[in-house]
Each structure stands twice: as C-alpha cells, then as structure tokens.
Amino acid sequence: NEYKSYLSRMIRLCCVGTKCIQGMLPWTRLQHSSSRYPKSALTWLAENLKDRPFLTNTLFGALFMFGGDFVQQYYFNEKINWTEAGMFGAIGALIGPLGVIWYRFLDRRFPGTSALAITKKLLCDEAMWGPAFAAIVFYILPLIETGNHDAAATEFKSKFLTAWLGSAAFWAVAQSINFRFLPIHYRVLYFQIVSFIYDTALATYKYQF
C-alpha cells in the first residue's frame, strides 16, 4: 500500500507538472477536472517525441526500465533495492537515445512497410539489437554490480542465450506491429511501453532465477 500510494502521488505530480511546465494551463486552473489531463499530456508527448526525441526517449526509457524492476521487486522481495532499480533505470536512459538512432538507421536501410522490409528490419533487430541489449543486462550490469569479471561472465553464460531467444520470440510480434503501423518518431516510445512488460519479466529472470 505504501508503494502504491507513492506511485499514485508521483503520477499525479507528473501530470500536473507537465501541464505547468508546458504552459498549457495557468496555475489558477489546475483545480479543474482531471478529465482534461490525458488529452493535454498526449499532445505534449507527441510534440516532444517529434521535437526532442533524444531527451524524451531518455526520460521514458529510464522510467519504464526502473518501473519494470520495481514491479518484480514489489512482488518478490521483502524490501525494495533502490540501487538495483536505479541501475535498471540507467540502462533505460542509455537505451532511449540509442533506440532513436537505431530506428532511424533501420528506416534508412530498409525503407517502407512492405512484408519484405519489415522482415529485414526484424532480422537485423534481433541479430544486432537483441544480443547487445542482453549483453548489457547479463554482463555489463552484473560487472558493475559486483566488480567481478568472473561472476559477470558466469551470469552471462548461464542466462544470455535463454534471454536472447525469449526476446526474439516476444519482439518478433511486438516489432512487427511497430514497424508496420507506427511513424518513426513514435517507435522508441512504443518499444519502451511494451518493454515495461518485457523488462519486468527480464528483471524477474535476472534476479529471481
């Protein structure tokens, strides 16, 4: 209940803060119905994804990966390890801007939304992005956490292949939707939102098994 209450307050604060910062509502109108918030928040988000893609995706990447680890800790641990959640959030902050560059590269290299173009993007994504991401989680992160190469290498050897194959199965469907239907400036955010589910499962696999 403590964590649910904390998250609820943070969501409300972010919603109000977003409107204030963007100047969508003056301070005297913040007391009006919250039913107006979603439309303005989505407008703000759409504008920033186009105008400031690196900053916006960095923030959301950190938020969703932090959230994914937080959720698995909430259900499995007696106490939240904020350092662990923060490390996951830091990875998300790194993935966000890299994702912008990566999706732009894929669109330039394989333009269009034909079945062939999407297939090529998927194969490239799973052959390059998937292994790189898994390596960050199962080698770089434990290396930072423990400072021990042997421990990090052991975790990498025991979990990398399973995580990568599971990732390939999950993202084949998710990324097909992404590449077929979404404009390029929304793709990283879509990836991060869907990643919240994946990151929760990934953090559970990393820390509970």
Side-chain angles (χ1 to χ4, degrees):
N1 290 335
E2 176 185 351
Y3 297 128
K4 290 179 180 179
S5 176
Y6 171 78
L7 288 176
S8 177
R9 291 197 300 270
M10 289 300 295
I11 290 171
R12 289 197 299 269
L13 179 61
C14 288
C15 188
V16 173
T18 294
K19 297 182 77 65
C20 294
I21 292 171
Q22 293 302 116
M24 292 178 179
L25 286 175
W27 282 97
T28 55
R29 295 173 60 189
L30 290 178
Q31 59 186 346
H32 286 193
S33 171
S34 61
S35 63
R36 299 184 60 184
Y37 289 175
K39 182 178 179 180
S40 296
L42 289 174
T43 300
W44 172 87
L45 180 58
E47 291 174 351
N48 280 275
L49 284 170
K50 290 181 180 180
D51 299 337
R52 290 172 283 275
F54 288 97
L55 175 61
T56 306
N57 285 292
T58 296
L59 294 176
F60 276 93
L63 174 65
F64 286 121
M65 283 207 70
F66 177 91
D69 185 72
F70 177 90
V71 169
Q72 71 86 16
Q73 288 199 57
Y74 179 81
Y75 283 101
F76 289 100
N77 296 354
E78 295 181 357
K79 184 179 180 181
I80 299 296
N81 183 335
W82 296 106
T83 300
E84 175 188 311
M87 292 298 296
F88 249 65
I91 292 176
L94 173 65
I95 293 300
L98 290 179
V100 175
I101 298 171
W102 177 245
Y103 284 117
R104 288 178 178 177
F105 164 75
L106 290 178
D107 261 20
R108 288 195 303 268
R109 186 67 180 84
F110 310 111
T113 57
S114 66
L116 180 59
I118 291 174
T119 300
K120 290 179 179 179
K121 289 176 183 177
L122 288 174
L123 291 174
C124 190
D125 193 56
E126 290 307 325
M128 299 177 67
W129 181 273
F133 181 73
I136 291 173
V137 173
F138 294 106
Y139 179 74
I140 301 298
L141 183 55
L143 183 62
I144 295 173
E145 290 174 332
T146 66
N148 188 311
H149 164 73
D150 292 337
T154 298
E155 181 172 338
F156 178 82
K157 291 176 182 178
S158 65
K159 295 183 177 180
F160 171 80
L161 184 59
T162 300
W164 179 28
L165 293 177
S167 168
F170 178 88
W171 287 109
V173 177
Q175 293 289 59
S176 295
I177 298 172
N178 197 3
F179 293 136
R180 177 65 180 86
F181 298 107
L182 273 70
I184 187 170
H185 49 273
Y186 291 124
R187 286 181 183 166
V188 180
L189 181 63
Y190 166 88
F191 167 81
Q192 291 168 349
I193 292 174
V194 177
S195 283
F196 179 77
I197 302 171
Y198 174 75
D199 293 339
T200 302
L202 186 68
T204 302
Y205 177 60
K206 173 175 173 54
Y207 290 111
Q208 305 300 333
F209 294 92

